[in-house]
Amino acid sequence: QISDPEACDQMYESLVRIHTNFYKNKYPRLKDTTFTGVTVEDCRTILATDILKQMEDMKRGTWRRLREKFSAKKPEEDLK
């Protein structure tokens, strides 16, 4: 037994509208972008695992270069 059938009907209709993309169809977007202005395809590219691995390798490369740069200076500083 439902205590408030009218409220239940309103909730059901609301869920139906969400399920059928009522508001997406009623208010179509001019461009298919996110709130940052990036397109969906760009987001997929950025979030792809291959791209993430490449970015991590680039970061490691930078840190390795910095480590080598500073470690090379230490022996020279000891000589002075």
Side-chain angles (χ1 to χ4, degrees):
Q1 184 93 20
I2 299 171
S3 61
D4 191 2
E6 187 175 322
C8 182
D9 289 342
Q10 287 177 348
M11 283 191 255
Y12 178 77
E13 290 299 321
S14 177
L15 290 172
V16 167
R17 285 192 299 270
I18 291 170
H19 177 71
T20 59
N21 289 327
F22 176 80
Y23 293 106
K24 180 182 178 185
N25 297 329
K26 184 176 180 180
Y27 304 106
R29 299 177 71 169
L30 299 176
K31 295 180 181 179
D32 194 20
T33 59
T34 62
F35 71 97
T36 59
V38 179
T39 63
V40 174
E41 189 59 37
D42 290 341
C43 286
R44 287 186 183 137
T45 303
I46 291 169
L47 296 175
T49 55
D50 293 338
I51 299 298
L52 291 175
K53 287 179 184 176
Q54 289 176 1
M55 289 177 65
E56 286 186 23
D57 289 342
M58 287 172 38
K59 286 181 186 176
R60 284 189 204 142
T62 303
W63 285 113
R64 285 183 185 158
R65 278 185 259 135
L66 287 173
R67 193 178 320 134
E68 290 171 1
K69 184 178 180 180
F70 288 116
S71 66
K73 286 185 179 180
K74 284 185 179 180
E76 295 173 5
E77 290 175 1
D78 291 339
L79 294 173
K80 291 180 182 179

